[in-house]
């Protein structure tokens, strides 16, 4: 018995692994198919090495079964499954946990043999022969009768048993659209032939939760022997129902759930591991009859990021659980509520999925945010301002928020520095001439005028027009400046429209940094914006504005 | 009675609009809150003009109720709601359809008055006063007792009635976590006070489908007067259940569904309009008791793209219904099945949501694809190749597929051209020299080289360096080009970092536009990207790439 902290927060002993039954009736197995069905997402192909890294991470997460691939699809897929079986499939942890390594194969001897060749190195290998069981698939794709499909399935389960495999998941493709009497019949026969898990596929993602419930309940009630095997559910998200269907199947008695990290997969993807697991964690004890998984949710965020990077399947900001916005709050009403009690708008804790511990709530500052939220964020950043100072920063903040979708911490720091400076600009742009292109280095000549009217001219080369102009300015003002951010705006409607350029800078290595209240070091930063039809000139104006603020703050 | 083609494909007469009841028991109203709850997504702030454009599009889509904003949040929000009420809220179509325009307001006289000031111009204005009804919200956020909340709610519904508004939706925030006896009581009282719709919020996205069912059924069974008003459901997606919960609520008798385009909203967002509507379209007649909506689904894709662009909330490729991959198939098994019968793996038709009609199935070519899929796609692109030619393209295709996640049509065209040994871009950059600054007009000299090696030089002045360079290029290529979008990327870390510039163009007034099947006019657009440390040079490279695509497409 392996001891782990599982999804519902209490310290469970993980039930012993037996292919066809789970000693604890509340424990739900998680089969992750990121490396097989996930990789089938258009454009998501991964290398063997990336797959091995993901498999290691899935083991850290505590996934019960890792479906590593489809060995007969290509030599590379075979190699990936073999590597995973050899390494991850043998790496027992201190609690005795080691994931089952599984592989998909069509119902033919060649595929099954090939899959077994790759899998057999694992401590717990599982073969997953599949065949379609719906009328439309049998008629058009397989061109076979029900009787033929039934015969092939039972023969191939026996063949897999004959290879020495004792952990066999029969996968019924498109089961959701099957004729139920035929489905019950084929499942009964494969159990007799030696299958230990029954995979039930909603391959096209058409099912509603109450239908999934009936499907699973129907199998339990009508398939002799179903009580001696595990029912597993495999849902797709074409109608946005994959997560709900998976949870509903678990309620109905499917004790293995097939999911992918980030919900990637063919078309609209599969049920998301993180959504299914967090729903069980959040509601398992309350309304889902005590169901729980063995997943260590604190590894979710890292796993999600790894899969996002390797598969190239980037997530939308509002992806549930692991999206960038999943724990962010913007409206004034919500922010005010959160500052009083996090439970008002937060049902999951960001730390539970692996976010770093944060002092406050996760609020985004934008045009809907109020003074309290601004003040609270400034305090977190280490600024303790007087009310009239907050008021001044707030006015400038609102002006920026009207133009910019999201006011970042870099912006806020610049705003605080900005409100401290009031003086006349020290330097004004007197003139600018820049040459650039492919025929040589960019060259900029700049004329700056001081407040007393004296004129300074300098020139510099650089790697581009903006770089050379900034360098020429630095020669005149004699400061070492670091450009933190340079943001030209996107222009809709042509190159002669007015563009705004914004730049954020700080002085480099000259002034000792201000120590903040929270112990972090604050480097004062300064921002400037420039506007115009010439992107180079507006970039220079932005820089001079920021420089003037920086020079003013020294005095 | 307005006649429209509605989601289940048959030609229904849309039921007459009466605030508190729907003459057809199978018709489900869609309330779109993209402009209010959607805009609350962190970073999704939109301008008044963008909101007006989206509202126009929502009316084309046939949304029953457009929640236009929260007028007391800011002057801009007020203006947006007023503009929408004045224009979209008065624009009856030939069938007599005009959307209800609604606005959110807190339960106080100032908010309600302000919302009414903005709404009253609409033909069918609806006030949406909201107040939290859960113990945690009442105690920590409102700091009020149940009795106080009950009193405020009924007083404010009466106040709204007193302003002359006869269409009032009472919104119970966090109703899913409310004490049910209190919820029934407050709903009974607001009905007596004059509310015509009861908004039921799963504000924190914690509910499971069977709980939503109990919630709605409980209200119907226990709230006297509930039979004379509309029950509306508002679900969030924190546990990935928003779409399923919304459909389940409709099954239980909630005849108005609150959704957003693309599912955008606070944190993990709201239920997605396109998922809810397509689930009803796909399953309404079969298993959802004949429920249908008035949505014209062929406008879904365009609406989704508009909201994605304006809100900056980009979608993941596997977003259900409207994601780039939603109708794409990659694995060899699926592609083989599809080529025999589309129904094997496709339950929705891409054309139903507004994709252009395609001859074949939507398959992505990648490393898992076989010869049949390649040959089929080449045929769709108009290439009829001999077997040995296909074989040659297939070899090069596999080589590219190993390196590149997704082989696009552009890649395929290039591959075919390669094996027929022509191609090469039409124009290449031979040299560029640009002068700009404050001392005069920008001047650009450009050298372009054609594939046969001949050189063309031109110069032009312009309002900035990019503008002058593009104009010089136009002098050589002799095309009238419209720049639709010019997007330099933001650079973190200084002006010598590598920046990417992207430009989107179309040919102006030369070619007659392609009329699409849905009657809209399609202007072919072309994009190019350039990369480098010099923002002017990379902008020019992006433009030349886009131009070459445009010129190539002519042939």
């Amino acid at each position: 018995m392996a001891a782990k902290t599982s999804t519902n927060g209490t310290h469970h002993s993980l039930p012993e692994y037996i292919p066809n039954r789970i000693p604890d009736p509340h424990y739900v197995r998680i089969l992750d198919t990121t490396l097989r069905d996930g990789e089938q997402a258009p454009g998501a192909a991964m290398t063997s090495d990336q797959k091995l890294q993901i498999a290691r991470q899935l083991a850290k997460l505590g996934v019960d079964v890792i479906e590593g691939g489809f060995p007969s699809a290509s030599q590379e897929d075979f190699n990936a499954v073999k590597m995973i079986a050899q390494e991850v499939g043998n790496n027992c942890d201190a609690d005795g946990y080691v994931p089952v390594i599984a592989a998909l194969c069509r119902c033919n001897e060649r595929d099954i043999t090939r899959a077994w060749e790759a899998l057999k190195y694992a401590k717990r290998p599982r073969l997953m022969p599949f065949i379609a069981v719906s009328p439309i698939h049998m008629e058009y794709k397989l061109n076979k009768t029900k009787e033929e499909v039934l015969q092939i399935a039972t023969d191939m389960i026996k063949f897999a048993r004959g290879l020495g495999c004792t952990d066999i998941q029969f996968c019924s493709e498109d089961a959701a659209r099957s004729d139920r009497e035929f489905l019950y019949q084929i499942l009964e026969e494969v159990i007799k032939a030696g299958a230990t898990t029954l995979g039930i596929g909603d391959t096209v993602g058409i099912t509603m939760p109450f239908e999934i419930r009936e499907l699973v309940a129907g199998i339990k009630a009508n398939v002799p022997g179903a009580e001696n095997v595990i029912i597993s559910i495999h849902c797709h998200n074409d109608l946005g129902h994959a997560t709900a269907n998976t949870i509903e199947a678990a309620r109905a008695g499917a004790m293995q759930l097939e999911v992918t990290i980030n919900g990637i997969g063919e078309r609209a993807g599969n049920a998301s591991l993180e959504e299914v697991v967090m729903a069980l964690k959040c509601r398992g004890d309350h309304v889902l009859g005590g169901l729980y998984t063995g997943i260590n949710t604190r590894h979710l965020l890292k796993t999600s990021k790894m899969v996002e990077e390797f598969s190239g399947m980037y997530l939308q900001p509002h992806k549930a659980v692991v999206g960038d916005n999943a724990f962010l709050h913007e409206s004034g009403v919500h922010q005010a509520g959160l500052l009083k009690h996090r439970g008002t708008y937060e049902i999951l804790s960001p730390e539970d999925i692996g976010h770093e511990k944060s002092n406050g709530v996760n609020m985004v500052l934008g045009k809907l945010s109020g003074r309290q939220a601004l003040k609270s964020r400034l305090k977190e950043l280490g600024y303790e301002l007087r009310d009239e100072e907050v008021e001044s920063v707030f006015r400038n903040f609102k002006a920026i928020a009207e133009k910019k979708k999201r006011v970042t911490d870099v912006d806020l720091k610049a705003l605080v520095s900005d409100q401290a400076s009031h003086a006349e600009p020290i330097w004004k742009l007197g003139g600018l001439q820049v040459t650039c292109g492919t025929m040589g280095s960019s060259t900029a000549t700049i004329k700056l005028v001081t407040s007393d009217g004296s004129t300074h001219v300098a020139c510099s080369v650089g790697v581009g027009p903006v770089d050379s102009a900034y360098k020429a300015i630095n020669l005149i003002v004699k400061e070492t400046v670091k450009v933190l951010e340079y943001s030209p705006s996107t222009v809709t409607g042509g190159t002669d429209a007015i563009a705004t350029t914004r730049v954020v800078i700080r002085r480099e290595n000259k002034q000792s940094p201000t120590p903040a209240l929270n112990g972090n070091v604050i480097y004062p930063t300064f921002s400037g914006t420039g506007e115009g039809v010439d992107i180079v000139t507006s970039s220079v104006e932005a820089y001079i504005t920021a420089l003037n603020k920086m020079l003013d703050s020294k005095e």
Side-chain angles (χ1 to χ4, degrees), chain A:
Chain A
M1 299 274 267
K4 291 234 170 182
T5 305
S6 59
T7 44
N8 64 358
T10 55
H11 202 78
H12 278 273
S13 291
L14 288 193
E16 188 190 354
Y17 183 74
I18 305 163
N20 68 321
R21 66 183 183 88
I22 304 173
D24 179 346
H26 294 117
Y27 186 82
V28 181
R29 282 185 188 153
I30 297 293
L31 179 149
D32 180 277
T33 181
T34 305
L35 301 177
R36 202 276 301 165
D37 214 354
E39 203 208 11
Q40 281 180 215
M46 294 177 270
T47 66
S48 306
D49 184 62
Q50 289 174 327
K51 288 186 183 179
L52 181 61
Q53 286 187 58
I54 290 173
R56 287 184 191 131
Q57 185 64 25
L58 292 172
K60 275 193 197 162
L61 201 57
V63 156
D64 301 272
V65 185
I66 297 174
E67 188 179 345
F70 186 5
S72 50
S74 71
Q75 182 64 42
E76 214 182 337
D77 239 30
F78 178 89
N79 293 344
V81 174
K82 186 173 162 186
M83 280 162 65
I84 292 166
Q86 288 175 321
E87 188 200 303
V88 183
N90 281 284
N91 197 6
C92 289
D93 75 8
D95 298 321
Y97 159 81
V98 62
V100 174
I101 310 297
L104 194 71
C105 41
R106 280 167 294 199
C107 274
N108 65 55
E109 295 190 2
R110 192 195 150 278
D111 263 36
I112 295 170
T113 308
R114 187 92 176 129
W116 185 244
E117 284 300 311
L119 283 177
K120 64 183 181 191
Y121 304 94
K123 197 159 186 297
R124 295 174 181 162
R126 178 187 293 186
L127 281 168
M128 297 175 69
F130 78 95
I131 198 161
V133 297
S134 67
I136 185 171
H137 273 231
M138 292 189 289
E139 179 179 349
Y140 293 100
K141 195 180 71 165
L142 301 178
N143 198 22
K144 295 207 186 310
T145 64
K146 286 198 257 188
E147 292 69 26
E148 287 170 317
V149 169
L150 183 66
Q151 190 65 49
I152 292 168
T154 49
D155 285 351
M156 288 306 109
I157 299 294
K158 287 176 193 159
F159 178 78
R161 275 273 172 186
L163 294 175
C165 182
T166 54
D167 189 349
I168 299 173
Q169 173 167 340
F170 171 70
C171 301
S172 57
E173 192 187 11
D174 207 21
R177 292 192 296 178
S178 65
D179 166 68
R180 290 295 183 271
E181 287 312 313
F182 175 64
L183 181 67
Y184 300 152
Q185 191 190 356
I186 194 169
L187 293 179
E188 179 181 355
E189 294 303 321
V190 296
I191 294 171
K192 286 189 203 154
T196 45
T197 299
L198 306 177
I200 309 299
D202 179 16
T203 304
V204 295
I206 199 172
T207 310
M208 301 285 108
F210 65 93
E211 294 178 282
I212 281 279
R213 188 172 184 77
E214 288 166 9
L215 176 60
V216 174
I219 292 167
K220 287 183 67 165
N222 295 293
V223 176
E227 66 282 7
N228 300 321
V229 295
I230 304 293
I231 297 172
S232 180
I233 199 81
H234 179 103
C235 295
H236 277 270
N237 201 37
D238 296 73
L239 296 176
H241 278 66
T243 298
N245 285 344
T246 303
I247 295 290
E248 194 64 20
R251 281 185 73 219
M255 301 312 278
Q256 179 181 282
L257 310 179
E258 306 187 11
V259 291
T260 64
I261 299 294
N262 298 340
I264 66 172
E266 286 275 357
R267 307 182 312 276
N270 291 57
S272 288
L273 182 145
E274 61 279 3
E275 294 175 9
V276 166
V277 164
M278 292 311 283
L280 285 170
K281 182 180 175 80
C282 189
R283 309 309 309 285
D285 280 345
H286 305 288
V287 297
L288 300 173
L291 296 179
Y292 73 102
T293 74
I295 299 297
N296 182 343
T297 62
R298 287 180 185 251
H299 290 293
L300 282 175
L301 187 67
K302 193 176 166 197
T303 315
S304 165
K305 296 282 180 202
M306 182 185 279
V307 170
E308 187 172 11
E309 187 191 331
F310 290 170
S311 69
M313 297 282 287
Y314 55 81
L315 297 182
Q316 58 202 25
H318 52 304
K319 170 71 180 70
V321 182
V322 291
D324 287 344
N325 284 2
F327 294 98
L328 291 180
H329 307 271
E330 173 154 336
S331 88
V333 171
H334 287 210
Q335 292 185 354
L338 282 160
L339 290 170
K340 289 171 187 158
H341 190 302
R342 287 182 71 156
T344 50
Y345 291 97
E346 219 168 72
I347 57 170
L348 306 171
S349 145
E351 293 85 31
D352 279 348
I353 68 151
H355 281 281
E356 280 175 56
K357 200 156 186 79
S358 141
N359 293 321
V361 291
N362 293 277
M363 299 187 298
V364 166
L365 296 175
K367 65 171 192 171
L368 300 174
S369 300
R371 277 174 194 75
Q372 283 314 311
L374 175 70
K375 201 170 168 179
S376 158
R377 184 74 194 131
L378 288 173
K379 204 169 166 183
E380 271 178 55
L381 291 174
Y383 296 104
E384 197 75 71
L385 301 184
R386 292 190 309 274
D387 280 354
E388 65 270 26
E389 287 172 328
V390 171
E391 201 52 41
S392 153
V393 172
F394 185 69
R395 274 196 305 275
N396 294 327
F397 159 77
K398 280 283 182 181
I400 283 202
E402 287 287 329
K403 286 184 203 148
K404 225 187 142 180
K405 290 199 177 283
R406 193 158 163 172
V407 184
T408 63
D409 288 348
V410 172
D411 291 317
L412 284 185
K413 287 177 188 175
L415 280 176
V416 172
S417 307
D418 288 356
Q419 67 87 35
S421 62
H422 314 284
E424 275 285 292
I426 300 169
W427 297 100
K428 278 184 183 166
L429 182 61
L432 165 72
Q433 178 77 13
V434 181
T435 307
C436 63
T438 59
M439 298 172 190
S441 296
S442 292
T443 310
T445 307
I446 197 119
K447 183 161 72 174
L448 294 184
V449 185
T450 59
S451 45
D452 63 11
S454 67
T455 297
H456 301 249
V457 175
C459 69
S460 174
V461 295
V463 296
V466 179
D467 188 54
S468 60
Y470 283 19
K471 283 183 171 144
I473 293 169
N474 291 348
L475 289 173
I476 297 175
V477 302
K478 300 190 174 63
E479 288 282 349
T480 316
V481 178
K482 183 167 174 57
V483 175
L484 299 172
E485 195 180 298
Y486 168 72
S487 329
S489 65
T490 293
V491 178
T492 303
T495 49
D496 55 351
I498 288 187
T500 306
T501 304
R502 185 160 188 283
V503 67
V504 180
I505 62 170
R506 74 160 194 246
R507 183 178 277 116
E508 188 86 316
N509 297 331
K510 275 199 118 178
Q511 204 178 28
S512 59
T514 316
L517 293 168
N518 57 6
N520 292 339
V521 164
I522 295 178
Y523 294 92
T525 60
F526 305 90
S527 70
T529 55
E531 249 185 17
V533 289
D534 177 344
I535 195 169
V536 177
T537 304
S538 71
S539 301
V540 166
E541 280 169 353
Y543 188 59
I544 293 172
T545 307
L547 265 180
N548 278 323
K549 289 180 189 166
M550 186 186 94
L551 295 167
D552 185 55
S553 82
K554 188 163 61 175
E555 291 148 27

